[in-house]
Amino acid sequence: MTIADIVAQASAPGQPRSVGLSADECLKCNVCTTACPVARVTDLFPGPKYSGPQAQRFRLGSELAPGSGRLSVVPSPDRSVDYCSGCGFCTTACPADVKIAEMNNRARGALRSGRRPRLRDWLLGQTDLTGRLGGLTEPLANWGLHNRLVRVLIDRILRIDRRAPLPRFARRSFRSRLGRHWRGRWSANAPAPATSVVYFHGCAANYYEPEVGQAAIDVLERNGFTVIVPPQVCCGLPLISNGLYAPARGRARSNIAVLAGYARAGYRIVGTSTSCTHTLKAEYREMLDIDDADARMVAEATWDICELLVDLHAQGRLDTRFGALDRTLPYHAPCQLRSHGIGLPALDLFELVPGLRAIDLDHDCCGIAGTYGLKSEKYEIAMAVGKPLFERIRAGGAEQVACDSETCRWQIAAATGARLRHPVELLAEAYDAYLAAEP
Amino acid sequence: MATADVAVVGAGLAGLTAAIRLAEAGARVHVLAAGHATTHWAPGGIDLGALPDSRTSQEAIDRLAMVPGHPYGVLAAELPAALAWLRAVLAREGFELEGAPGDPLRAIPTAIGATRLAALLPAGMAGALPAWAPDETLVVCGPAGFRDFWPEAIAGALRRPSSWRGQTPPGRIEAVSVELPGLAGRRNLSSLDLARLFDDPAWRRAALEGIARAVAARSRAPGRVALPAILGLNDHPAALAAAREILPLLPFEVALAPPSVPGLRLYAVLRGALRRHGGRLQVGEAVHGTIDAAGRVAELRAPAAAREFVLSAGAVVLATGGIAGGGIVADGPATLREEVLGLPVDGPPAGNWLSDDALSPAGHPLETAGIRTDRHLRPVAPAGSTADGRPIAENVRVAGSLLAGQRYLRERCGDGVALASGVLAARKLAGVAR
Ligand SMILES: Cc1cc2nc3c(=O)[nH]c(=O)nc-3n(C[C@H](O)[C@H](O)[C@H](O)COP(=O)(O)OP(=O)(O)OC[C@H]3O[C@@H](n4cnc5c(N)ncnc54)[C@H](O)[C@@H]3O)c2cc1C
Ligand code: SF4
Ligand code: SF4
């Protein structure tokens, strides 16, 4: 296969655009650099243009593995790409549709592939394992993770920053609290697809914030849905963003195996974590090259919960009997949500709640970017990235702040002392307020 | 599916102007843009018009308004009010636009040591506007090691009288590079890095004092200092005030290669104004839509993760910026395609697209490609068709560089057309609240 063949194949109509070859579209305009929160605060990262399309020229050569016809990425000419947080603002800002963040992520994957992963990176990817262990050993685990001395040791040994925001394990996981919900794989006996949704809770709602999962169930049930909670594992994003593609593929395969059954039967899959839902929607294909019919079915069936509720509203099917929540509510839209390309559905929903004055904080990134800001060598970068956001929140003095993504919630809560809530928790509260006000 | 009263496509000067005006009038506005606009590239002045032989912008505007099919035919009348509005939006954030359309067009130094014509500039750059007296010195001063601004090269080129377009040059031109505090070991400094440093009051004082010493060593008043456009990104008004206070000569900023710091400041002000009025802005959405049988566009779609994002709206402002902004694309060697609605494109005949010099003073042939509209900015059927000149999309208004009939680079009218058409499009759509 010649270079020309590969280029022709990759640019054939209908072919999803190759992440690597999109570097060809680069105009060198530097607009991406203006949008990069990391390059804004550190010299350690030269910015998206350099680490993306510029460096890509050096990576493409060996993409052309003879006869394979497959485009894969070879290591980056320099390692600074590891400082990319993966927030994705560069990709949205680029006027030429260069897939910069995706390119960087693949380059990181190539840097890691074939090597033994750092213990820390591996561990950060094991959210199911740590979640289960933490749940079993709670409260000891919570004590440890919030004890200064233990954190200093973890910092020294693992390089997870002692100051970084770690969540608290819930005493009982979300799944273990579930009652009557259908929790199996799809079968003909499952509740009917027209009146049910499949809930992908992810690790955060399961191990750390079961209240978010409960709020999702309450809101969905209030709108007449039966909620199905099928077996699931971590979506794999923490592995992907640490460049550990091989184990991530394992996670992806097992989720797809379960969820495709539902997707094929016409169910919608809804998630409360914008990162998990984005992984199901896009990253299995874009990052992990899993692009079969099942993966596509799952992607197309997946919805962020606020996206789904806005869609219901547009069809006149959302129960809009919200009680009043009289408060000012600053809202931070997480990077992962922006990568969905669905706007800011939480703000649309907040408009429906009487008394609720939501304010779009309009700051790019809180810094945490999944597990990025936990790492000792990146913690200070992450805090500098989020600083204007934290200052705005502190200056506003609001007690509560809303945000759709768990790691951002933990980061912002740790940095500001505010109480961070998922939008769906506020909607559940507003539904309760309505019921309470009913005579 | 999301809903809005008006969907605005494009986040450049035209789209943002239309969006803010509509939001001010109480409409629910949603801006969708494929990426950032030419605000991030263009030099940062507000160009209303400049022809090689026009003395003022007003003269250029008046002449262009007489050219058949030129957008200024309809828009020239809108310009004064539109400009007053923009000045007010900027003033709220402490930004000032200096100069007026009736002022003489002046030769303004650029970062390659050439000059361009301008009459209306943000305060930071406006120090270059007054005519040079023969006893004045121009000191071109930049940070050592900054690759986008080479004082010696700029001064060298500016010393050629031919650089000044027939206008009187400064009596003396000097160049000086200054080590700025704490930058010795830093590589890859960009205009953005430097501008952000100037946001920090303590750092900028030290930096400006260093610049002041270097400038004073070269020259005494009368004179002015040309600095790269890096005097603050988020707090430019304060950085500019400090520069004026500390430097011994009047400073002015010179636009650099993209990304444009002055353009980013303008964008931030417009974006803030839109948010204040409750408008939404979504970047990263390459939208498309269709005109239905009733001649309306009911919704716009954009590929998003896994599914299309759908925005249903009562009306659409199309401000995708023509060939430079990405709204018009050359599809093979013979077809020009309007990206969003597939509107008929008015452009140079096929086979006449290639030009040896993209920056030729005559302009590039593709620059004229655009969408023809009626007086209400509605797109119309192509010349030669049976419906020639009749609107083909009732609830769509076209604004900015996407409008046919202009050569926005050669005639230097891009910002004026964007601003005036943004304002007019918004007025035409006032009252579409659903
Ligand atoms: C490098 C450069 C320098 C320039 N310098 C000058 C100058 O000095 N003086 C001057 O008068 N003019 C200049 N111009 C022209 C400038 O484009 C106009 O002056 C004016 O600012 C155009 O504004 P606009 O809002 O119409 O379009 P643009 O600023 O081009 O904005 C277009 C917007 O539409 C979006 N878009 C495009 N296609 C789609 C789609 N399918 N879906 C969604 N969004 C889409 C883009 O992402 C962008 O946000 C320059 C242009 C360039 C490229
Ligand atoms: S914004 Fe896009 S086109 Fe511009 S330099 Fe970055 S990657 Fe290249
Ligand atoms: S993904 Fe984020 S951190 Fe990485 S280059 Fe892009 S904007 Fe910068």
Side-chain angles (χ1 to χ4, degrees):
Chain A
M1 188 175 268
T2 66
I3 293 184
D5 292 338
I6 290 181
V7 171
Q9 178 188 324
S11 47
Q15 186 79 5
R17 242 158 49 90
S18 147
V19 164
L21 286 179
S22 73
D24 266 4
E25 312 282 329
C26 176
L27 313 163
K28 311 292 172 217
C29 67
N30 254 323
V31 162
C32 50
T33 311
T34 71
C36 176
V38 172
R40 180 170 76 218
V41 302
T42 179
D43 282 351
L44 292 168
F45 183 55
K49 183 174 104 173
Y50 297 96
S51 64
Q54 307 274 74
Q56 187 69 9
R57 293 178 296 179
F58 300 98
R59 300 177 190 130
L60 269 170
S62 348
E63 275 203 2
L64 314 175
S68 75
R70 257 217 100 61
L71 299 170
S72 66
V73 174
V74 299
S76 196
D78 84 279
R79 309 186 142 256
S80 66
V81 70
D82 192 43
Y83 279 95
C84 166
S85 78
C87 68
F89 281 100
C90 47
T91 301
T92 49
C94 173
D97 203 17
V98 180
K99 305 279 180 215
I100 314 159
E102 294 78 356
M103 212 175 277
N104 288 352
N105 201 316
R106 281 170 167 260
R108 190 191 347 249
L111 278 176
R112 297 275 196 283
S113 86
R115 296 163 188 261
R116 199 144 54 87
R118 268 176 104 143
L119 177 59
R120 184 222 22 222
D121 295 353
W122 177 84
L123 196 66
L124 289 176
Q126 306 301 316
T127 44
D128 271 324
L129 179 67
T130 45
R132 229 170 305 137
L133 282 178
L136 284 177
T137 57
E138 191 282 338
L140 183 68
N142 277 335
W143 173 84
L145 287 188
H146 297 88
N147 174 282
R148 280 187 55 143
L149 186 65
V150 177
R151 289 297 299 270
V152 168
L153 289 174
I154 293 179
D155 194 337
R156 290 274 163 75
I157 299 166
L158 282 176
R159 309 291 294 145
I160 292 175
D161 197 279
R162 71 193 73 163
R163 297 156 294 180
L166 294 180
R168 288 187 166 272
F169 297 104
R171 182 149 302 160
R172 290 185 57 203
S173 73
F174 169 73
R175 290 192 76 89
S176 71
R177 301 175 186 211
L178 284 170
R180 60 220 136 68
H181 300 91
W182 180 270
R183 287 155 67 177
R185 289 170 165 257
W186 179 78
S187 82
N189 299 329
T195 51
S196 340
V197 287
V198 171
Y199 178 41
F200 191 89
H201 46 68
C203 304
N206 196 26
Y207 300 116
Y208 306 109
E209 299 181 322
E211 62 278 11
V212 171
Q214 189 56 51
I217 289 190
D218 292 348
V219 167
L220 291 166
E221 287 181 349
R222 171 73 177 250
N223 283 284
F225 289 104
T226 304
V227 181
I228 296 171
V229 192
Q232 51 191 275
V233 296
C234 167
C235 66
L237 181 63
L239 291 163
I240 298 175
S241 57
N242 281 291
L244 305 172
Y245 285 14
R249 283 196 186 96
R251 306 286 196 283
R253 294 265 177 232
S254 47
N255 282 325
I256 292 170
V258 174
L259 297 175
Y262 284 101
R264 283 187 185 285
Y267 294 80
R268 299 217 254 192
I269 301 160
V270 58
T272 36
S273 164
T274 43
S275 355
C276 305
T277 46
H278 186 257
T279 306
L280 296 178
K281 279 182 176 185
E283 308 222 352
Y284 288 171
R285 176 168 58 76
E286 284 177 1
M287 292 299 135
L288 303 180
D289 290 322
I290 301 178
D291 196 16
D292 53 28
D294 278 357
R296 244 171 285 151
M297 292 289 296
V298 170
E300 281 161 25
T302 301
W303 294 70
D304 166 67
I305 189 152
C306 292
E307 178 192 18
L308 179 86
L309 296 172
V310 165
D311 192 62
L312 289 178
H313 185 49
Q315 298 167 28
R317 285 173 53 199
L318 183 75
D319 184 341
T320 53
R321 290 169 301 163
F322 292 106
L325 298 185
D326 188 18
R327 71 189 72 146
T328 298
L329 181 70
Y331 169 72
H332 171 65
C335 321
Q336 291 287 352
L337 172 70
R338 304 197 202 230
S339 301
H340 280 252
I342 54 174
L344 306 178
L347 288 181
D348 293 335
L349 296 167
F350 291 153
E351 279 176 18
L352 303 173
V353 178
L356 191 59
R357 298 172 301 280
I359 297 171
D360 179 6
L361 288 162
D362 200 24
H363 180 73
D364 44 22
C365 178
C366 71
I368 195 78
T371 58
Y372 182 91
L374 301 178
K375 301 174 181 176
S376 302
E377 74 278 13
K378 292 168 183 138
Y379 172 79
E380 288 187 351
I381 296 176
M383 292 304 283
V385 164
K387 191 169 168 230
L389 175 72
F390 309 147
E391 283 171 354
R392 216 168 294 164
I393 290 172
R394 278 195 227 105
E399 248 167 64
Q400 296 192 0
V401 175
C403 176
D404 317 62
S405 171
E406 55 277 357
T407 52
C408 311
R409 284 197 293 276
W410 303 334
Q411 164 91 337
I412 298 169
T416 64
R419 180 173 175 214
L420 265 288
R421 310 193 71 193
H422 189 290
V424 80
E425 291 182 87
L426 288 144
L427 298 180
E429 193 184 329
Y431 278 141
D432 285 347
Y434 176 83
L435 292 182
E438 278 269 83
Chain B
M1 183 166 75
T3 52
D5 295 333
V6 183
V8 175
V9 191
L13 184 57
L16 289 175
T17 297
I20 299 166
R21 295 287 293 180
L22 282 158
E24 283 173 349
R28 287 176 40 120
V29 184
H30 208 126
V31 182
L32 301 174
H36 285 316
T38 54
T39 41
H40 289 48
W41 304 349
I46 297 293
D47 285 339
L48 303 179
L51 298 170
D53 53 348
S54 60
R55 233 183 44 83
T56 65
S57 286
Q58 194 57 53
E59 194 188 317
I61 295 164
D62 294 343
R63 271 164 54 190
L64 291 171
M66 306 300 289
V67 176
H70 196 284
Y72 269 152
V74 171
L75 297 174
E78 302 290 331
L79 210 44
L83 197 54
W85 172 80
L86 180 66
R87 286 189 203 267
V89 171
L90 289 168
R92 195 178 180 281
E93 304 300 328
F95 286 80
E96 220 181 306
L97 268 183
E98 291 183 15
D103 293 349
L105 284 160
R106 302 283 318 157
I108 305 299
T110 72
I112 54 168
T115 60
R116 67 187 175 100
L117 289 175
L120 198 61
L121 291 175
M125 307 177 123
L129 284 173
W132 291 93
D135 62 342
E136 261 189 295
T137 305
L138 165 61
V139 184
V140 182
C141 175
F146 177 42
R147 293 173 308 181
D148 289 354
F149 192 87
W150 296 98
E152 283 295 347
I154 297 168
L158 286 176
R159 284 188 196 113
R160 287 199 293 269
S162 59
S163 299
W164 291 85
R165 299 170 181 268
Q167 302 184 4
T168 310
R172 206 155 62 93
I173 300 178
E174 294 286 330
V176 57
S177 291
V178 184
E179 286 289 350
L180 296 185
L183 298 187
R186 290 189 63 170
R187 55 200 162 106
N188 257 338
L189 277 178
S190 74
S191 54
L192 287 173
D193 298 327
L194 291 164
R196 288 186 183 118
L197 283 170
F198 272 97
D199 284 337
D200 173 1
W203 186 89
R204 82 175 158 236
R205 171 155 285 276
L208 288 167
E209 282 167 358
I211 295 173
R213 281 190 298 274
V215 169
R218 290 294 164 127
S219 160
R220 264 171 292 133
R224 295 175 234 172
V225 197
L227 297 167
I230 54 173
L231 293 175
L233 183 60
N234 299 316
D235 198 9
H236 169 63
L240 178 61
R244 285 179 172 167
E245 177 207 318
I246 295 170
L247 299 182
L249 303 177
L250 178 70
F252 66 86
E253 292 185 294
V254 174
L256 302 170
S260 161
V261 168
L264 287 164
R265 295 172 190 148
L266 172 69
Y267 174 75
V269 171
L270 296 176
R271 184 186 167 111
L274 179 65
R275 192 184 58 238
R276 221 174 26 255
H277 292 288
R280 295 277 182 83
L281 170 58
Q282 217 167 308
V283 181
E285 307 279 3
V287 311
H288 58 99
T290 44
I291 302 170
D292 63 22
R296 296 177 63 82
V297 176
E299 60 185 33
L300 294 172
R301 297 172 165 270
R307 246 191 324 280
E308 285 191 318
F309 170 75
V310 184
L311 176 67
S312 123
V316 174
V317 175
L318 206 56
T320 50
I323 210 101
I328 293 178
V329 173
D331 220 3
T335 326
L336 289 172
R337 184 161 45 88
E338 188 278 311
E339 280 279 87
V340 177
L341 299 173
L343 295 171
V345 176
D346 201 53
N352 185 23
W353 291 0
L354 298 181
S355 145
D356 287 342
D357 180 5
L359 299 174
S360 130
H364 191 282
L366 281 180
E367 199 189 339
T368 61
I371 303 302
R372 215 155 58 93
T373 69
D374 64 6
R375 298 186 62 80
H376 309 285
L377 300 179
R378 289 175 301 198
V380 296
S385 70
T386 47
D388 180 7
R390 284 221 292 279
I392 49 179
E394 204 50 53
N395 65 338
V396 174
R397 312 288 149 154
V398 180
S401 293
L402 185 61
L403 288 165
Q406 60 180 325
R407 290 168 174 264
Y408 41 84
L409 293 178
R410 183 186 152 196
E411 299 161 354
R412 304 300 294 269
C413 62
D415 299 316
V417 168
L419 191 58
S421 57
V423 167
L424 181 61
R427 193 165 72 240
K428 295 288 179 190
L429 294 177
V432 268
R434 285 141 58 90

